[in-house]
């Protein structure tokens, strides 16, 4: 029942925890697919279970609020903005059992070792992030995080053109920069058919 592993409180998870082993969960998908909502849901449940939770987000994402992670639907959770993986690691407290990380795609490559290290120290690590950039290419370091995660959840948005399952973040403004922080003003969710490929988009799309 692999599905069960994507959610809190499964028997399997409890067993892992009792054995003192940590693990990595990755929540990946396009913009507006509910990654932040799902991250906030898991963190809230961990806090209800009286676990010590710390949440980090890269400083690059200045949307909404600096001290919080926020979903497009308005849910928020407190978080600590950091400018590097090293800064994040230095801020993780001894007593922290659950480490949440939002916008994982904006971290440097050191996040991979850091996540492994946090899990090896018995912690539950939950990373949310975009798995593809606006051209449809894998958004590093998310592919690497997906490959080391014990549990993966792929979230989907709704295509704004046709209502199908959306897997792409269509940039609606004119820019070739990899990172253009924004939300509905700069991007929209599109399905495979309605996504208009960028010049850099891999040909298999
Ligand atoms: P993500 O972190 O993946 O960008 P969020 O968790 O911030 O997503 O936001 C998800 C919410 O965005 C949905 O619950 C819904 O209220 C809103 N939303 C806006 N546009 C869309 C869309 N095209 N498809 C799905 N949800 C959308
Ligand atoms: Zn569509």
């Amino acid at each position: 029942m692999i599905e069960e592993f994507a959610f809190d409180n499964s028997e399997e998870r409890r067993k892992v925890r009792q054995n003192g082993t940590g693990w990595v969960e990755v929540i990946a998908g396009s913009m507006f697919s509910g990654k932040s909502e799902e991250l906030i849901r898991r963190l809230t449940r961990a806090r209800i279970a009286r676990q010590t939770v710390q949440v980090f987000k890269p400083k690059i994402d200045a949307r909404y609020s600096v001290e919080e992670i926020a979903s497009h639907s308005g849910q928020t959770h407190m978080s600590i903005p950091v400018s590097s993986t090293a800064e994040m690691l230095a801020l993780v407290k001894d007593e922290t059992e659950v480490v949440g990380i939002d916008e994982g795609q904006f971290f440097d490559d050191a996040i991979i070792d850091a996540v492994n290290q946090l899990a090896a120290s018995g912690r539950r690590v939950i990373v949310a992030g975009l798995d593809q950039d606006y051209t449809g290419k894998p958004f590093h370091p998310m592919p690497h995080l997906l490959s080391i995660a014990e549990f993966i959840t792929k979230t989907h948005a709704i295509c704004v053109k046709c209502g199908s399952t959306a897997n792409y973040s269509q940039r609606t403004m004119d820019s070739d920069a990899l990172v253009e922080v924004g939300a509905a003003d700069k991007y929209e969710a599109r399905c495979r058919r309605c996504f208009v490929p960028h010049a850099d988009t891999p040909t298999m799309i």
Side-chain angles (χ1 to χ4, degrees):
M1 294 290 286
I2 289 165
E3 266 291 285
E4 276 183 18
F5 294 178
F7 299 97
D8 292 350
N9 294 336
S10 74
E11 272 309 304
E12 216 42 49
R13 285 252 174 97
R14 270 197 290 274
K15 257 186 269 163
V16 172
R17 181 129 206 110
Q18 276 159 14
N19 290 340
T21 313
W23 66 89
V24 179
E25 300 166 33
V26 172
I27 305 164
S30 66
M31 288 188 70
F32 308 102
S33 64
K35 300 182 298 297
S36 299
E37 270 176 2
E38 180 58 21
L39 176 62
I40 292 168
R41 190 186 78 86
R42 292 184 195 185
L43 296 169
T44 303
R45 288 172 62 93
R47 286 198 356 259
I48 291 169
R50 297 200 179 79
Q51 291 164 1
T52 311
V53 174
Q54 272 189 294
V55 188
F56 299 94
K57 67 173 205 171
K59 268 192 185 143
I60 194 168
D61 181 22
R63 279 187 308 188
Y64 311 121
S65 156
V66 179
E67 302 289 335
E68 290 177 329
I69 53 172
S71 76
H72 293 111
S73 51
Q75 292 166 294
T76 59
H77 191 289
M78 63 209 160
S79 80
I80 306 167
V82 289
S83 34
S84 68
T85 299
E87 187 184 351
M88 179 188 81
L89 272 185
L91 290 169
V92 175
K93 297 184 204 148
D94 274 354
E95 65 267 31
T96 297
E97 297 165 279
V98 180
V99 176
I101 301 170
D102 202 9
E103 307 285 6
Q105 76 281 357
F106 291 147
F107 277 83
D108 50 287
D109 281 353
I111 192 77
I112 297 148
D113 278 349
V115 159
N116 272 331
Q117 198 181 311
L118 290 169
S121 65
R123 296 182 171 92
R124 174 185 179 190
V125 185
I126 316 171
V127 187
L130 283 170
D131 50 1
Q132 297 177 91
D133 64 23
Y134 76 104
T135 73
K137 284 205 280 293
F139 209 146
H140 281 277
M142 290 302 290
H144 206 125
L145 291 172
L146 283 161
S147 69
I148 62 166
E150 274 86 351
F151 308 102
I152 295 169
T153 302
K154 175 92 182 195
T155 49
H156 305 95
I158 304 298
C159 176
V160 296
K161 292 283 176 199
C162 75
S164 298
T165 297
N167 192 31
Y168 298 100
S169 309
Q170 178 81 57
R171 188 173 279 178
T172 53
M173 45 98 64
D174 196 20
S175 164
D176 284 342
L178 174 62
V179 178
E180 275 288 353
V181 176
D185 55 330
K186 291 181 184 161
Y187 297 92
E188 56 189 37
R190 298 269 184 101
C191 74
R192 191 174 284 279
R193 215 166 31 142
C194 300
F195 179 65
V196 180
H198 182 268
D200 291 342
T201 299
T203 44
M204 61 267 202
I205 292 173

